[in-house]
Amino acid sequence: MQREQVPVRRETLFSWLKDERDEQRVAAMLDSLAGFEADDVRDALEGIVRDAKHADANRKRALSLYVAGLKAETESRLLDVANEMEDGPVLAELLTALAARPKLDGETLLLAKLESKSPEVRAAALDGLATM
């Protein structure tokens, strides 16, 4: 698709992403999603971030696209997602993004994640609290 520069409809990508878990295929689809307006793909990106069946690398890529497209009126969703995530490397990155948004009330979550069993999450929580 991308190599041949064949345009792909957003709805087609959404449909494929519902069932696809192959790391390379999903990565290619994420690259395609990056070409769309953030408001148009936010829900699909959030779905990938939340879905632990996806490879962590793809979840992190989806998170970076998701965070880059947040606006003042939508950034509160970041806290909602963070509160529902399992501890691990994706949450660690999410906590870092959360701490960079002082208008969000992420301090309670960051404090709670200091007790996480995941060293990455504890470190991200500590760093986040230090920067707030």
Side-chain angles (χ1 to χ4, degrees), residues 49-104:
V49 170
R50 290 176 181 263
D51 189 350
K53 292 178 186 171
H54 280 288
D56 283 347
N58 286 333
R59 294 174 74 200
K60 288 178 180 182
R61 171 74 169 128
L63 178 62
S64 70
L65 294 170
Y66 181 82
V67 169
L70 289 174
K71 299 175 183 169
E73 61 272 9
T74 59
E75 71 178 5
S76 65
R77 288 177 67 170
L78 193 62
L79 185 57
D80 296 336
V81 174
N83 275 309
E84 297 171 11
M85 292 287 298
E86 78 282 356
D87 287 5
V90 179
L91 178 61
E93 287 199 19
L94 210 157
L95 293 177
T96 300
L98 182 65
R101 291 168 167 74
K103 291 182 181 179
L104 295 178

Coordinates of all heavy atoms in Angstrom, one line a residue, residues 49-104:
V49 N -3.8 1.1 21.7 CA -3.1 1.4 22.9 C -3.7 0.6 24.0 O -2.9 0.0 24.8 CB -3.2 2.9 23.3 CG1 -2.7 3.1 24.7 CG2 -2.4 3.7 22.3
R50 N -5.0 0.4 24.1 CA -5.6 -0.3 25.2 C -5.6 -1.8 25.0 O -5.7 -2.5 26.0 CB -7.1 0.1 25.2 CG -7.4 1.5 25.7 CD -8.9 1.8 25.6 NE -9.3 3.1 26.1 CZ -9.7 3.4 27.3 NH1 -9.8 2.5 28.2 NH2 -10.0 4.6 27.6
D51 N -5.4 -2.3 23.8 CA -5.4 -3.7 23.6 C -4.1 -4.4 23.8 O -3.2 -4.3 23.0 CB -5.9 -3.9 22.1 CG -6.2 -5.4 21.8 OD1 -5.9 -6.3 22.6 OD2 -6.8 -5.6 20.7
A52 N -4.0 -5.2 24.9 CA -2.8 -5.9 25.2 C -2.4 -7.0 24.3 O -1.3 -7.5 24.3 CB -2.9 -6.4 26.6
K53 N -3.3 -7.3 23.4 CA -3.0 -8.4 22.4 C -2.1 -7.9 21.2 O -1.6 -8.6 20.5 CB -4.3 -8.9 21.8 CG -5.2 -9.7 22.8 CD -6.5 -10.2 22.2 CE -7.3 -10.8 23.3 NZ -8.7 -11.1 22.7
H54 N -2.0 -6.6 21.1 CA -1.1 -6.0 20.2 C 0.3 -6.0 20.7 O 0.5 -5.9 21.9 CB -1.5 -4.5 19.8 CG -2.6 -4.4 18.9 ND1 -2.5 -4.7 17.5 CD2 -3.9 -4.0 19.0 CE1 -3.6 -4.5 16.9 NE2 -4.5 -4.1 17.8
A55 N 1.3 -6.0 19.9 CA 2.7 -5.9 20.3 C 2.9 -4.6 21.0 O 2.4 -3.6 20.5 CB 3.6 -6.1 19.0
D56 N 3.8 -4.6 22.0 CA 4.1 -3.4 22.7 C 4.6 -2.3 21.8 O 4.3 -1.1 21.9 CB 5.1 -3.6 23.8 CG 4.5 -4.3 25.0 OD1 3.2 -4.3 25.1 OD2 5.2 -4.8 25.9
A57 N 5.4 -2.7 20.8 CA 6.0 -1.7 19.9 C 4.9 -1.0 19.1 O 4.9 0.3 18.9 CB 6.9 -2.3 18.9
N58 N 3.9 -1.7 18.7 CA 2.7 -1.1 18.0 C 1.9 -0.3 18.9 O 1.4 0.8 18.6 CB 1.9 -2.1 17.3 CG 2.6 -2.7 16.1 OD1 3.4 -2.0 15.4 ND2 2.3 -3.9 15.7
R59 N 1.7 -0.7 20.2 CA 0.9 0.1 21.1 C 1.6 1.4 21.4 O 1.0 2.4 21.6 CB 0.7 -0.8 22.4 CG -0.2 -2.0 22.2 CD -0.2 -2.9 23.4 NE -1.1 -2.2 24.4 CZ -1.1 -2.5 25.7 NH1 -0.2 -3.5 26.1 NH2 -1.9 -1.9 26.5
K60 N 3.0 1.3 21.5 CA 3.7 2.5 21.8 C 3.7 3.5 20.6 O 3.6 4.7 20.8 CB 5.2 2.2 22.1 CG 5.4 1.6 23.5 CD 6.9 1.2 23.6 CE 7.2 0.6 25.0 NZ 8.6 0.3 25.1
R61 N 3.7 3.0 19.4 CA 3.6 3.8 18.2 C 2.3 4.4 18.1 O 2.1 5.6 17.9 CB 3.9 2.9 17.0 CG 3.6 3.6 15.6 CD 4.7 4.6 15.3 NE 4.5 5.1 13.9 CZ 4.4 6.3 13.5 NH1 4.5 7.3 14.4 NH2 4.1 6.7 12.3
A62 N 1.2 3.6 18.4 CA -0.1 4.2 18.4 C -0.3 5.3 19.5 O -0.9 6.3 19.3 CB -1.2 3.1 18.7
L63 N 0.4 5.0 20.7 CA 0.3 6.0 21.7 C 1.0 7.3 21.3 O 0.5 8.4 21.6 CB 1.0 5.5 23.0 CG 1.1 6.4 24.2 CD1 -0.3 6.9 24.7 CD2 1.8 5.8 25.3
S64 N 2.1 7.2 20.6 CA 2.8 8.5 20.2 C 2.0 9.2 19.2 O 1.9 10.5 19.3 CB 4.2 8.1 19.6 OG 4.1 7.5 18.4
L65 N 1.3 8.5 18.3 CA 0.4 9.2 17.4 C -0.8 9.8 18.1 O -1.2 10.9 17.8 CB -0.1 8.2 16.3 CG 1.0 7.7 15.3 CD1 0.4 6.6 14.5 CD2 1.5 8.8 14.4
Y66 N -1.3 9.1 19.0 CA -2.5 9.5 19.8 C -2.1 10.8 20.6 O -2.9 11.8 20.6 CB -2.8 8.4 20.8 CG -4.0 8.6 21.7 CD1 -5.3 8.4 21.2 CD2 -3.9 9.0 23.0 CE1 -6.4 8.6 22.0 CE2 -5.0 9.2 23.8 CZ -6.2 9.0 23.3 OH -7.3 9.2 24.1
V67 N -1.0 10.8 21.3 CA -0.6 11.9 22.1 C -0.3 13.1 21.2 O -0.7 14.2 21.6 CB 0.6 11.5 23.0 CG1 1.3 12.8 23.6 CG2 0.2 10.5 24.0
A68 N 0.3 12.9 20.1 CA 0.7 14.0 19.2 C -0.6 14.7 18.7 O -0.6 15.9 18.4 CB 1.5 13.5 18.0
G69 N -1.7 14.0 18.6 CA -2.9 14.5 18.0 C -3.9 15.1 19.1 O -4.9 15.6 18.7
L70 N -3.5 15.0 20.3 CA -4.4 15.5 21.4 C -4.4 17.1 21.3 O -3.5 17.7 21.1 CB -3.9 15.1 22.8 CG -4.1 13.6 23.1 CD1 -3.5 13.3 24.4 CD2 -5.6 13.2 23.1
K71 N -5.6 17.6 21.6 CA -5.9 19.0 21.8 C -6.3 19.3 23.2 O -6.6 18.4 23.9 CB -6.9 19.4 20.7 CG -6.5 19.2 19.3 CD -7.6 19.5 18.4 CE -7.2 19.2 16.9 NZ -8.4 19.3 16.0
A72 N -6.4 20.5 23.5 CA -6.8 20.9 24.9 C -8.1 20.3 25.3 O -8.3 19.8 26.4 CB -6.9 22.4 25.0
E73 N -9.1 20.2 24.3 CA -10.4 19.7 24.6 C -10.5 18.2 24.6 O -11.4 17.6 25.1 CB -11.5 20.2 23.7 CG -11.2 19.9 22.2 CD -10.4 20.9 21.5 OE1 -9.8 21.8 22.1 OE2 -10.3 20.8 20.2
T74 N -9.4 17.5 24.2 CA -9.4 16.0 24.1 C -8.4 15.4 25.0 O -8.4 14.2 25.2 CB -9.3 15.5 22.7 OG1 -8.0 16.0 22.2 CG2 -10.4 15.9 21.8
E75 N -7.5 16.2 25.6 CA -6.4 15.6 26.3 C -6.8 14.9 27.6 O -6.1 14.0 28.2 CB -5.3 16.6 26.6 CG -5.5 17.7 27.6 CD -4.3 18.6 27.8 OE1 -3.3 18.4 27.1 OE2 -4.4 19.5 28.6
S76 N -8.0 15.2 28.1 CA -8.5 14.5 29.3 C -8.7 13.0 29.1 O -8.6 12.2 30.0 CB -9.8 15.1 29.8 OG -10.8 14.9 28.9
R77 N -8.8 12.6 27.8 CA -8.9 11.2 27.5 C -7.7 10.4 27.9 O -7.7 9.2 28.2 CB -9.3 11.0 26.0 CG -10.7 11.4 25.7 CD -11.0 11.3 24.2 NE -11.0 9.9 23.8 CZ -11.4 9.6 22.6 NH1 -11.9 10.5 21.7 NH2 -11.4 8.3 22.2
L78 N -6.5 11.1 27.9 CA -5.3 10.5 28.2 C -5.3 10.0 29.6 O -4.9 8.9 29.9 CB -4.1 11.6 28.1 CG -2.7 11.0 28.1 CD1 -2.5 10.1 27.0 CD2 -1.7 12.2 28.0
L79 N -5.9 10.7 30.5 CA -6.0 10.3 31.9 C -7.0 9.1 32.0 O -6.7 8.1 32.8 CB -6.5 11.4 32.8 CG -6.6 11.2 34.3 CD1 -5.2 10.7 34.9 CD2 -7.0 12.4 35.0
D80 N -8.0 9.1 31.3 CA -9.0 8.0 31.3 C -8.3 6.7 30.8 O -8.5 5.6 31.4 CB -10.2 8.3 30.3 CG -11.0 9.5 30.8 OD1 -11.0 9.8 32.0 OD2 -11.7 10.1 30.0
V81 N -7.5 6.8 29.7 CA -6.8 5.6 29.2 C -5.8 5.2 30.2 O -5.7 3.9 30.5 CB -6.1 6.0 27.9 CG1 -5.2 4.8 27.4 CG2 -7.1 6.3 26.8
A82 N -5.0 6.1 30.8 CA -4.0 5.7 31.8 C -4.6 5.0 33.0 O -4.0 4.0 33.5 CB -3.2 6.9 32.3
N83 N -5.8 5.4 33.4 CA -6.4 4.8 34.6 C -6.9 3.3 34.3 O -7.0 2.6 35.3 CB -7.6 5.6 35.1 CG -7.2 6.7 36.0 OD1 -6.5 6.5 37.0 ND2 -7.6 7.9 35.7
E84 N -7.0 3.0 33.1 CA -7.5 1.7 32.7 C -6.5 0.7 32.1 O -6.8 -0.4 31.8 CB -8.7 1.8 31.7 CG -9.8 2.6 32.3 CD -10.9 2.9 31.2 OE1 -10.8 2.4 30.1 OE2 -11.8 3.7 31.6
M85 N -5.2 1.2 32.1 CA -4.2 0.4 31.5 C -3.5 -0.6 32.5 O -3.4 -0.3 33.7 CB -3.0 1.3 30.9 CG -3.4 2.1 29.8 SD -3.6 1.2 28.2 CE -1.9 0.6 28.0
E86 N -3.0 -1.7 31.9 CA -2.3 -2.6 32.8 C -0.9 -2.1 32.9 O -0.4 -1.3 32.1 CB -2.3 -4.0 32.1 CG -1.3 -4.2 31.0 CD -1.8 -3.6 29.6 OE1 -2.9 -3.1 29.5 OE2 -1.0 -3.7 28.7
D87 N -0.2 -2.4 34.0 CA 1.2 -2.0 34.2 C 2.1 -2.6 33.2 O 2.0 -3.8 32.9 CB 1.6 -2.3 35.6 CG 0.9 -1.5 36.7 OD1 0.1 -0.7 36.4 OD2 1.3 -1.6 37.9
G88 N 3.0 -1.8 32.7 CA 3.9 -2.3 31.7 C 4.6 -1.2 30.9 O 4.3 0.0 31.3
P89 N 5.3 -1.5 29.9 CA 6.0 -0.4 29.2 C 5.1 0.6 28.5 O 5.5 1.7 28.3 CB 6.8 -1.2 28.1 CG 6.2 -2.6 28.1 CD 5.6 -2.8 29.4
V90 N 3.9 0.2 28.1 CA 3.0 1.1 27.4 C 2.5 2.1 28.4 O 2.5 3.3 28.2 CB 1.9 0.4 26.7 CG1 1.0 1.4 26.0 CG2 2.4 -0.6 25.6
L91 N 2.1 1.6 29.6 CA 1.7 2.5 30.6 C 2.8 3.5 31.1 O 2.6 4.7 31.3 CB 1.1 1.8 31.8 CG 0.7 2.6 33.0 CD1 -0.5 3.6 32.6 CD2 0.3 1.8 34.2
A92 N 4.0 3.0 31.1 CA 5.1 3.8 31.5 C 5.3 5.0 30.6 O 5.4 6.2 31.0 CB 6.4 3.0 31.5
E93 N 5.1 4.8 29.3 CA 5.2 5.9 28.3 C 4.0 6.8 28.5 O 4.1 8.0 28.3 CB 5.3 5.4 26.9 CG 6.7 4.8 26.6 CD 7.0 4.7 25.1 OE1 6.3 5.3 24.3 OE2 7.9 3.9 24.8
L94 N 2.8 6.2 28.7 CA 1.6 7.0 28.9 C 1.8 7.9 30.1 O 1.3 9.1 30.1 CB 0.4 6.0 29.1 CG -0.9 6.5 28.6 CD1 -1.8 5.4 28.3 CD2 -1.5 7.5 29.5
L95 N 2.3 7.4 31.2 CA 2.5 8.2 32.4 C 3.5 9.4 32.1 O 3.3 10.5 32.6 CB 3.1 7.4 33.6 CG 2.2 6.3 34.1 CD1 2.9 5.5 35.2 CD2 0.9 6.9 34.6
T96 N 4.5 9.2 31.3 CA 5.4 10.3 30.9 C 4.6 11.3 30.1 O 4.8 12.5 30.4 CB 6.5 9.7 30.1 OG1 7.2 8.8 30.8 CG2 7.5 10.8 29.6
A97 N 3.8 10.9 29.2 CA 2.9 11.9 28.5 C 2.0 12.6 29.4 O 1.7 13.8 29.2 CB 2.2 11.1 27.4
L98 N 1.4 11.9 30.3 CA 0.5 12.5 31.3 C 1.1 13.5 32.1 O 0.6 14.6 32.4 CB -0.1 11.4 32.2 CG -1.2 11.8 33.2 CD1 -2.4 12.3 32.5 CD2 -1.5 10.6 34.1
A99 N 2.3 13.2 32.6 CA 3.0 14.2 33.5 C 3.4 15.5 32.7 O 3.6 16.5 33.3 CB 4.3 13.5 34.0
A100 N 3.5 15.4 31.4 CA 3.8 16.6 30.6 C 2.6 17.5 30.4 O 2.8 18.6 29.8 CB 4.4 16.1 29.2
R101 N 1.5 17.1 30.9 CA 0.3 17.9 30.8 C -0.2 18.3 32.2 O -1.1 17.6 32.8 CB -0.8 17.1 30.1 CG -0.4 17.0 28.6 CD -1.3 16.0 27.9 NE -1.1 16.1 26.5 CZ 0.0 15.7 25.8 NH1 1.0 15.1 26.5 NH2 0.1 15.8 24.5
P102 N 0.3 19.4 32.8 CA 0.0 19.7 34.1 C -1.4 20.1 34.4 O -1.9 20.1 35.5 CB 1.0 20.9 34.4 CG 1.4 21.4 33.1 CD 1.3 20.3 32.1
K103 N -2.2 20.4 33.3 CA -3.6 20.8 33.5 C -4.4 19.6 33.9 O -5.5 19.7 34.5 CB -4.2 21.4 32.3 CG -3.6 22.8 32.0 CD -4.2 23.4 30.8 CE -3.6 24.8 30.5 NZ -4.2 25.4 29.3
L104 N -3.9 18.4 33.5 CA -4.6 17.2 33.9 C -4.3 16.8 35.3 O -3.1 17.0 35.8 CB -4.2 16.0 33.0 CG -4.6 16.2 31.5 CD1 -4.1 15.0 30.7 CD2 -6.1 16.3 31.4

